[in-house]
Amino acid sequence: MDDKELAEELRLTIGRLVRTVRTADTMPPGEAAVLGYLDRGGPLTTAEIAARRGVTHQSAAKTVKDLLAQNFVRAEAHPGDGRKLLLHLTQTGRDRLAEERRRRSDWLGAAINDVLDADERRTLEAALPLLSRLSTHLHGK
């Protein structure tokens, strides 16, 4: 398999795995994505969330409104621009995100246990640093 074929197979396989694991989610993908951004990167504005998600400001604003109503995020005036709101993850939101992540991990972990033998699990574990390096490299570009 040449590099282009390997890259395409990797893209397809990881994409299918991610989509499949997300079926375990119980919250809308947009909401989970916003909570994840806030958890990993700290407070953001609605415009920053829209840019990260690649959606319109209106779409991000609707998601933010839903998250505010559920007390998963809180808004405060932006310290550098009072016209903007800075969104923070609440403890309720952090707990809800942890629950979603735990559900995904449990489901994937059960599949790993059901499908892979010990040698295959070690091979998968050995591949994780490689996948992480690829991700880091691509993210930096």
Side-chain angles (χ1 to χ4, degrees):
M1 183 179 299
D2 69 20
D3 288 350
K4 286 185 181 183
E5 291 170 326
L6 178 60
E8 180 62 8
E9 187 62 30
L10 181 63
R11 185 190 69 76
L12 290 170
T13 301
I14 289 176
R16 187 171 52 244
L17 178 65
V18 168
R19 285 187 300 278
T20 301
V21 170
R22 283 186 181 153
T23 64
D25 290 352
T26 59
M27 66 187 314
E31 290 183 11
V34 171
L35 295 182
Y37 293 143
L38 295 173
D39 183 54
R40 287 185 301 275
L44 297 168
T45 65
T46 300
E48 291 167 331
I49 289 169
R52 287 187 185 198
R53 290 202 60 227
V55 299
T56 65
H57 189 278
Q58 292 88 343
S59 176
K62 183 196 178 311
T63 300
V64 166
K65 180 181 174 188
D66 293 343
L67 292 170
L68 285 164
Q70 297 172 81
N71 192 36
F72 291 161
V73 300
R74 66 178 173 77
E76 67 180 37
H78 191 287
D81 185 344
R83 299 169 296 171
K84 297 179 183 179
L85 292 176
L86 204 52
L87 302 164
H88 297 262
L89 187 61
T90 64
Q91 188 58 52
T92 302
R94 188 170 280 106
D95 292 346
R96 185 67 172 91
L97 181 60
E99 178 185 323
E100 286 296 300
R101 287 174 173 168
R102 200 168 26 258
R103 183 178 292 105
R104 289 178 190 172
S105 293
D106 288 350
W107 197 51
L108 184 55
I112 288 169
N113 189 51
D114 290 347
V115 174
L116 304 180
D117 64 30
D119 287 339
E120 290 170 324
R121 284 195 295 277
R122 282 190 290 278
T123 299
L124 182 60
E125 183 179 353
L128 293 177
L130 302 176
L131 294 171
S132 180
R133 278 182 29 215
L134 283 172
S135 179
T136 298
H137 175 77
L138 292 170
H139 191 268
K141 289 195 171 225

